[in-house]
Amino acid sequence: MNWAQAGFELFGVKVLWTDLVGNVAALATVLLAIRKSIWTWPVQLTGAVLLLIASISAHITGNALKQVMFGGLALYGWWKWSRGTSGGQELAVRPATGRERLALVAAMIAGTAVVAVLFYVFKLSWGVHTPGTKGYLLVAADAYIFVGSAVATWAQGRALVDFWLIWVAVDLVGVPLAFSSGLVVSGAVYGIFFVLVLVGFANWLKEYRLRAVLVPKEAM
């Protein structure tokens, strides 16, 4: 049997090891990010590779492309955090500037529009198989989650506290979408991510504010 198809039966459903371990790695990246551990990036890269294999095996092209994106962003984040922690210094997190926030919002809006069209034209979203207005909304939601995930991961690589808020915005669509589509397990996983994201945001913001008090602005 092809190792990419290896797995086990659970309540009559086959669970692929690549899918299971990949999702566990994805969950671990959030826990590691809360602690600002640079290990969040190699773990994310590993999870992306495993989920890429699982997606290709399941012929889910859209999700496979998402994992390629996550893999590339993991390499970028790894490089940025390595520079930010060189010489043993602690990674300095900060809120985005007003200009950066405008750029992030613009990227979310424009990116969602462009990706939604591409997903629809090339049938990369499962929403294209649903007729009528609901199908268009599903494609748009799929594109929004795709772009939001990319923007959040990029902002995380730059150690911006705001990346947690972008994940909140993504989960606010991802959680109800998964449950309404009958994907209970995916919805539950999204729900866990949502709670962890709120914890991460609170921790990073608290640390930034504490550092702002202890370290003069000229030295930051």
Side-chain angles (χ1 to χ4, degrees):
M1 180 177 62
N2 188 338
W3 68 270
Q5 295 292 330
F8 58 93
E9 292 284 333
L10 182 64
F11 303 119
V13 178
K14 183 176 182 180
V15 178
L16 296 177
W17 282 112
T18 51
D19 189 28
L20 177 61
V21 178
N23 276 293
V24 170
L27 184 60
T29 61
V30 182
L31 295 171
L32 291 168
I34 292 175
R35 300 176 61 84
K36 296 192 310 176
S37 170
I38 198 169
W39 279 100
T40 188
W41 298 112
V43 170
Q44 177 174 314
L45 180 60
T46 301
V49 171
L50 291 172
L51 291 175
L52 171 63
I53 295 171
S55 298
I56 292 176
S57 299
H59 305 291
I60 307 176
T61 307
N63 198 57
L65 291 175
K66 182 188 294 186
Q67 301 314 318
V68 172
M69 173 194 71
F70 275 131
L73 288 172
L75 292 174
Y76 169 77
W78 198 347
W79 171 69
K80 287 289 292 183
W81 281 29
S82 294
R83 293 183 62 187
T85 56
S86 61
Q89 62 181 331
E90 186 176 359
L91 181 71
V93 302
R94 66 175 178 84
T97 63
R99 181 175 297 179
E100 286 172 329
R101 284 173 181 159
L102 284 176
L104 293 172
V105 172
M108 288 278 287
I109 295 174
T112 297
V114 172
V115 172
V117 172
L118 293 175
F119 275 8
Y120 186 82
V121 172
F122 294 101
K123 302 186 184 304
L124 297 176
S125 170
W126 54 280
V128 298
H129 303 296
T130 302
T133 303
K134 183 178 180 180
Y136 295 131
L137 292 176
L138 289 175
V139 173
D142 206 8
Y144 171 80
I145 293 172
F146 182 93
V147 174
S149 300
V151 173
T153 307
W154 180 84
Q156 178 186 350
R158 300 187 67 81
L160 300 179
V161 176
D162 304 63
F163 99 88
W164 294 107
L165 295 179
I166 300 174
W167 275 123
V168 168
V170 171
D171 285 344
L172 286 176
V173 173
V175 173
L177 178 63
F179 279 114
S180 65
S181 302
L183 302 176
V184 180
V185 175
S186 295
V189 171
Y190 266 118
I192 294 173
F193 274 122
F194 184 76
V195 174
L196 292 177
V197 163
L198 292 178
V199 173
F201 173 68
N203 284 359
W204 275 38
L205 186 60
K206 179 181 179 181
E207 179 180 324
Y208 168 74
R209 288 174 174 172
L210 180 61
R211 182 169 177 268
V213 171
L214 297 178
V215 181
K217 289 186 177 180
E218 294 77 8
M220 292 178 63

